[in-house]
Amino acid sequence: MAFGKRLGGALVGTPLYQPFRFIYQTAFGRDAIRKRRDRKHFYAQFISPRDLVFDIGANEGLYSEAFCALGADVVSVEPDPRNLEILKKRLRGRKVRIEACAMGSESRTQTFYLSNRNDVAIGQGSTVSTLFPQYAENSDEGYSNITVQVRTLDWLREKYGAPKYVKIDTEGSDAEVIRGMSFQPAMLSFEFLPEDLSVARKCVEQLPDRRFNYVLEQQARYALEDWVTAEQISRVLEDVPKTVFYGDVFAR
């Protein structure tokens, strides 16, 4: 597996990457192929060709890749320079714009905590780098600090236009990101952690007139048969087992 990660990192962004990934995952990681197929099918429910999509917290670009495959115009936002290296290579030649910044409620510069946990598919980045010092303090792997530019969703809209869908996954900053949004996309999603719903509650409070559903981890299907109100989703999330690591709430 380590060999595949190293070789994938070397090939990403070249014409050989996708054939290598398919062959390698066919032999050693069929679950990854299934997840990629299911992810594309799920987002096809509300993303059409030429739709504008903001991927906030793009990491290495797995979701941006799916949005591009659906023909969307994608703006990918990622502050971690290690992830950015892979993101740029993965999305090379696709209809995507990349912003190397963090997102929040106002434009400013801020300390960003780079996690030492190397848990990405390829490269040396992390999925848990954060703007929030309390997240860093609770980490066993440790963090290093850099200074990043923080922008807002309103800034992105002014630069690129109004998106149909905004995906937010920012390791604790999701509510702050929504505070920087004065427009109303048709669909928006944010991450929730069953063991600590404080950020999710703040997100829901800012979206009182929307209807909600949620997805557990990478299951790529809605957990609820019917979409529910803000008050109802807050109660529903309380019942998600704490053994679930994370999920995404969708607000339409």
Side-chain angles (χ1 to χ4, degrees):
M1 295 298 179
F3 168 77
K5 182 174 181 176
R6 290 196 301 272
L7 187 55
L11 293 177
V12 67
T14 74
L16 295 175
Y17 174 69
Q18 290 198 17
F20 163 77
R21 181 173 68 175
F22 179 77
I23 293 170
Y24 182 83
Q25 291 179 346
T26 298
F28 302 108
R30 286 185 174 272
D31 188 54
I33 296 175
R34 178 189 60 78
K35 287 179 179 177
R36 188 161 58 249
R37 180 197 64 226
D38 292 349
R39 186 182 301 126
K40 182 179 177 182
H41 177 75
F42 175 80
Y43 285 100
Q45 295 177 93
F46 55 86
I47 295 176
S48 301
R50 295 181 296 280
D51 284 344
L52 180 60
V53 173
F54 290 172
D55 184 358
I56 310 302
N59 202 259
E60 290 191 312
L62 292 178
Y63 287 85
S64 287
E65 183 181 49
F67 305 151
C68 288
L70 292 170
D73 296 336
V74 183
V75 178
S76 300
V77 180
E78 174 58 40
D80 186 328
R82 303 162 305 178
N83 292 337
L84 274 167
E85 181 181 355
I86 300 299
L87 178 68
K88 291 176 180 178
K89 291 178 180 178
R90 184 190 298 278
L91 301 178
R92 184 177 295 158
R94 296 178 181 266
K95 198 170 184 180
V96 60
R97 280 71 59 89
I98 297 174
E99 292 287 347
C101 63
M103 300 294 290
S105 59
E106 59 183 23
S107 293
R108 60 184 182 273
T109 58
Q110 189 171 333
T111 299
F112 187 73
Y113 299 89
L114 291 173
S115 173
N116 295 330
R117 189 171 92 185
N118 179 214
D119 57 353
V120 292
I122 53 178
Q124 299 300 314
S126 174
T127 64
V128 294
S129 297
T130 179
L131 284 172
F132 277 71
Q134 58 267 41
Y135 275 56
E137 292 167 0
N138 293 332
S139 171
D140 294 331
E141 294 87 356
Y143 283 75
S144 57
N145 300 346
I146 62 172
T147 299
V148 298
Q149 179 66 54
V150 179
R151 299 292 190 183
T152 67
L153 284 172
D154 281 347
W155 180 86
L156 278 187
R157 181 193 59 172
E158 183 176 347
K159 185 172 182 178
Y160 294 107
K164 182 178 181 181
Y165 169 51
V166 177
K167 170 230 158 200
I168 306 172
D169 183 357
T170 58
E171 302 307 308
S173 299
D174 294 23
E176 291 297 309
V177 174
I178 293 172
R179 286 193 183 95
M181 179 185 75
S182 63
F183 59 94
Q184 292 294 328
M187 182 73 83
L188 177 145
S189 66
F190 54 87
E191 188 181 47
F192 75 95
L193 304 178
E195 66 177 13
D196 181 4
L197 293 171
S198 58
V199 174
R201 292 191 195 99
K202 293 175 183 176
C203 292
V204 171
E205 288 170 1
Q206 296 179 78
L207 305 166
D209 298 325
R210 287 181 172 253
R211 293 283 173 165
F212 298 84
N213 212 319
Y214 71 98
V215 171
L216 295 179
E217 297 180 348
Q218 297 188 47
Q219 291 184 9
R221 63 179 182 272
Y222 293 122
L224 300 177
E225 183 175 343
D226 299 313
W227 291 69
V228 299
T229 66
E231 182 180 352
Q232 290 169 326
I233 194 65
S234 295
R235 293 199 301 266
V236 167
L237 294 180
E238 294 283 356
D239 293 331
V240 175
K242 299 301 185 285
T243 52
V244 174
F245 290 116
Y246 67 93
D248 292 286
V249 175
F250 285 78
R252 70 181 188 187

